[in-house]
Amino acid sequence: FGSSFWLPRDSGPVVSVTRLLHPPEGMGAAMGRLPPSEDAKRYRDGYPGLEERENPEMKDNLNFYLGEIRSRGGLGGGEFIDAMHEKWFGDYTRLERDHGYIQWLFPIREPGMNPDSEPLTAHEIKELRSNPEVRARFLKSYKLILDFYGLHLADESTGKVERKEKGWEERYHNLNTSPHNYLRITRILKCLGEFGLEHFQAPLCDHFFEECFVKRTLRNIDESLSVYWVQVIKDDEARKRLMDECAKHMPGVYDEPDKGKGKGKGK
């Protein structure tokens, strides 16, 4: 998948008129419209002017996280979030091959590659952030995807992540050799910020930095980490610190305007 994207031939209309507010996440950079640095800044700034153009009737993401509707699209046609957490945890084949669930578990304010999902809206974010039931479900979603990547959430207050005790080697191998997951990680990092867990962004990137540049266990994520993931961190100090560290290992990575050649623009 790398920096490319695909659309199902038989999926019907890709997005409705109400959803065509911006190119799908990552597509702007891929088409030369928004370099990754500008895409990340637009995200960090809260998508200026977008709320006024959002449809207040779009509530699929809220209703999904409230457990009221199934997801749509992907293998099997959809599932309720609680059943997804229960049945899919550790089902690595499903999590790898199904490309329709990530937009539901980790919604962001950009159209995704599942035409049956909706972009997250500002009015949904307000309700999602204030609901403790939703927060508990979101943490389960995060733990599910961390486990898929060979990690576990070591501290729910700080967002610190670590390798899981068993099976991380096989999961790291999958991450090194399945670059479409880099697109997913961009989405996950953005979603953390939308759900009020922006303080989780830097710890995840810190861990990936250690594994990529120090331990060299995840060598293939270097470009996505430096160009895409680190730049969406909302904490200015943490973002600058990690960008400076990445630049030491990848000299010149931030010297020229990004051309959208990386592996992790969002899925």
Side-chain angles (χ1 to χ4, degrees):
F1 287 79
S3 59
S4 64
F5 47 85
W6 61 272
L7 296 175
R9 292 178 181 270
D10 59 349
S11 61
V14 175
V15 285
S16 68
V17 174
T18 58
R19 299 183 199 177
L20 273 176
L21 301 172
H22 298 277
E25 72 269 26
M27 193 178 290
M31 298 174 67
R33 296 180 183 177
L34 280 180
S37 58
E38 293 182 23
D39 176 79
K41 186 177 187 303
R42 176 170 158 266
Y43 159 76
R44 297 194 311 268
D45 291 344
Y47 302 91
L50 179 57
E51 183 174 359
E52 292 77 12
R53 291 178 283 155
E54 290 176 335
N55 182 352
E57 300 301 317
M58 293 170 63
K59 295 186 177 181
D60 277 2
N61 297 296
L62 173 62
N63 290 334
F64 174 69
Y65 258 93
L66 290 175
E68 297 177 358
I69 65 170
R70 295 175 181 266
S71 63
R72 296 188 300 273
L75 301 177
E79 186 59 271
F80 287 105
I81 188 169
D82 291 338
M84 201 178 286
H85 290 154
E86 181 180 352
K87 297 176 183 178
W88 292 25
F89 193 97
D91 188 348
Y92 301 142
T93 300
R94 178 69 179 263
L95 294 171
E96 177 65 26
R97 295 181 180 177
D98 192 326
H99 300 286
Y101 71 88
I102 200 75
Q103 298 84 2
W104 291 92
L105 290 184
F106 301 98
I108 58 175
R109 296 179 68 193
E110 305 169 36
M113 304 313 295
N114 178 354
D116 295 314
S117 65
E118 292 181 349
L120 185 64
T121 62
H123 65 273
E124 286 182 302
I125 290 172
K126 294 173 185 177
E127 295 189 57
L128 289 165
R129 286 190 175 196
S130 63
N131 189 313
E133 182 181 352
V134 166
R135 182 182 177 87
R137 285 196 172 109
F138 184 77
L139 284 175
K140 287 185 178 180
S141 297
Y142 191 48
K143 291 175 183 178
L144 179 149
I145 206 68
L146 287 178
D147 178 77
F148 175 58
Y149 294 137
L151 307 172
H152 76 98
L153 184 60
D155 191 324
E156 291 189 8
S157 62
T158 66
K160 180 182 179 181
V161 299
E162 297 175 347
R163 293 176 181 174
K164 62 180 187 175
E165 291 185 8
K166 297 181 180 180
W168 65 267
E169 297 93 342
E170 186 273 335
R171 294 289 81 218
Y172 274 28
H173 174 74
N174 184 74
L175 188 54
N176 263 321
T177 57
S178 299
H180 72 96
N181 281 295
Y182 307 166
L183 314 181
R184 292 172 169 178
I185 291 170
T186 305
R187 168 178 280 274
I188 292 162
L189 284 162
K190 288 182 175 181
C191 187
L192 286 169
E194 303 295 16
F195 274 66
L197 293 170
E198 55 267 17
H199 61 290
F200 276 27
Q201 293 174 323
L204 182 58
C205 288
D206 278 328
H207 182 83
F208 281 138
F209 179 90
E210 180 78 9
E211 297 288 6
C212 177
F213 293 119
V214 180
K215 297 179 179 177
R216 305 299 286 162
T217 51
L218 290 173
R219 299 185 181 190
N220 290 346
I221 70 171
D222 55 354
E223 186 178 359
S224 293
L225 171 63
S226 303
V227 178
Y228 296 98
W229 304 346
V230 166
Q231 294 203 73
V232 304
I233 294 174
K234 289 191 171 185
D235 183 287
D236 293 340
E237 183 178 346
R239 185 177 66 256
K240 184 181 185 304
R241 171 178 58 79
L242 274 162
M243 288 179 68
D244 288 346
E245 290 300 315
C246 286
K248 293 177 183 177
H249 293 271
M250 298 187 70
V253 68
Y254 303 116
D255 287 356
E256 297 294 331
D258 300 307
K259 303 299 183 182
K261 295 181 180 180
K263 306 171 185 175
K265 293 180 284 296
K267 188 176 179 66

